[in-house]
Amino acid sequence: MPAQDQKAPPLSAEAYAHCFLTFRKRSTEWLGMLSWCRQRIASLLPARPRLSAMSVGAGNGDFDWRLLPIIRDQVQTLEYVFVEPSQAMCSRLRQRMAREPLEGVEFDLESSSFETCGLQQAFDLVLLTHCLYYIPDRKTALRHASRLAGDSGWVLIFHQTPLGIDQIQKKFIKRIKGTEQEMFTSQDIQDILVQLNAPYRLEQIESHIDVSECFRPGSEEGEALLSFFLECDVRHIDPVLKKEVVDYIHELSYPDQGNRLLYHPVATFMLSKGMGLT
């Protein structure tokens, strides 16, 4: 089989974690999201001494432990439930809950996918942070999130827009990986919410990724970023095709103080109280 026809292998869980950490180090995404939460999340929470929140697809809790103090400042007691399907991630979450307790926060963990999560209680906040890519039935997931938020809670979604990484994926991921199954942007969420006739507010958080390492031959960080963007191990793709990807990223990015930055904003959806989805 010609090299250009070979599909790149998927990333292992360990390799994905490494690539994600490289992306996080080179991106202002989390800084922007946390800044937005400091400014806005209080307005979503009811004035009660005890509140509850759910984090869907929490991973190892890295983002949650940065977010928790922001929410905790608003209440006396916070019940915080993680929903995570990966047994490896659940093990790390359990260790972290024991190792890094937070005053006034009561943790719980549902070791299941969001679709099969058995919780029926209403939450004041249901948080979906960059997780809808990995949930096959997104429409059902949004209905489920609405039910869990009840009549007075909110669903808060942070998600990729059609700018930045999605532009790269749209052009190359099917050729390289063989599937576009996990491609899913904020525009797709909007389309679903329109179908559901669900009111929502949408805001955009400014963010960029330093992609300079992608243009340095042999750079481990550059390879990790490319693999994260394309959700596969790019060390195994045809060099001519890899150069095409790198050239396209260069075309999309812009110079900034000796580096090159890729514009990659984050969409923030706030689904209204009492959406009434069925």
Side-chain angles (χ1 to χ4, degrees), residues 37-81:
C37 288
R38 289 187 193 96
Q39 297 172 34
R40 301 297 306 281
I41 207 162
S43 67
L44 302 180
L45 299 174
R48 292 201 301 266
R50 181 183 178 90
L51 296 177
S52 60
M54 168 187 282
S55 176
V56 180
N60 65 4
D62 276 352
F63 182 75
D64 298 275
W65 255 264
R66 289 164 173 81
L67 174 65
L68 275 163
I70 299 173
I71 303 177
R72 174 63 185 82
D73 284 347
Q74 312 299 321
V75 296
Q76 293 177 17
T77 305
L78 173 66
E79 178 189 1
Y80 201 84
V81 179

Side-chain angles (χ1 to χ4, degrees), residues 46 53 68 115 126 136 202 207 210:
L68 275 163
E115 305 94 301
V126 179
L202 173 60
S207 174
D210 184 342

Side-chain angles (χ1 to χ4, degrees), residues 133 160-176 180 183-186 188 204 207-209 211 228-231 244-254 261-265:
Y133 318 101
Q160 177 174 297
T161 74
L163 298 173
I165 291 176
D166 184 68
Q167 291 174 277
I168 302 167
Q169 293 178 338
K170 195 166 290 182
K171 191 171 181 69
F172 294 105
I173 199 168
K174 190 166 186 180
R175 290 168 61 189
I176 290 174
E180 298 175 326
M183 284 188 62
F184 187 70
T185 73
S186 58
D188 299 303
Q204 185 165 287
S207 174
H208 64 259
I209 309 164
V211 292
F228 180 76
F229 295 162
L230 294 166
E231 301 176 356
E244 188 179 342
V245 174
V246 170
D247 288 347
Y248 184 64
I249 294 173
H250 194 276
E251 179 186 328
L252 289 178
S253 61
Y254 59 93
L261 305 182
L262 177 67
Y263 184 52
H264 182 66

Side-chain angles (χ1 to χ4, degrees), residues 52-150:
S52 60
M54 168 187 282
S55 176
V56 180
N60 65 4
D62 276 352
F63 182 75
D64 298 275
W65 255 264
R66 289 164 173 81
L67 174 65
L68 275 163
I70 299 173
I71 303 177
R72 174 63 185 82
D73 284 347
Q74 312 299 321
V75 296
Q76 293 177 17
T77 305
L78 173 66
E79 178 189 1
Y80 201 84
V81 179
F82 301 101
V83 178
E84 172 55 48
S86 165
Q87 293 302 312
M89 291 297 105
C90 284
S91 176
R92 294 179 190 178
L93 279 170
R94 291 187 186 96
Q95 293 171 14
R96 193 164 199 167
M97 286 187 282
R99 187 179 66 244
E100 302 177 46
L102 293 170
E103 184 179 354
V105 180
E106 300 172 359
F107 289 117
D108 200 358
L109 172 61
E110 280 285 308
S111 179
S112 70
S113 66
F114 186 50
E115 305 94 301
T116 60
C117 171
L119 292 174
Q120 300 296 322
Q121 71 188 83
F123 289 83
D124 298 297
L125 184 67
V126 179
L127 181 67
L128 294 94
T129 305
H130 291 293
C131 65
L132 283 170
Y133 318 101
Y134 311 111
I135 297 177
D137 189 343
R138 286 91 179 220
K139 183 183 289 188
T140 297
L142 290 172
R143 285 198 183 102
H144 188 35
S146 171
R147 284 193 291 270
L148 287 167

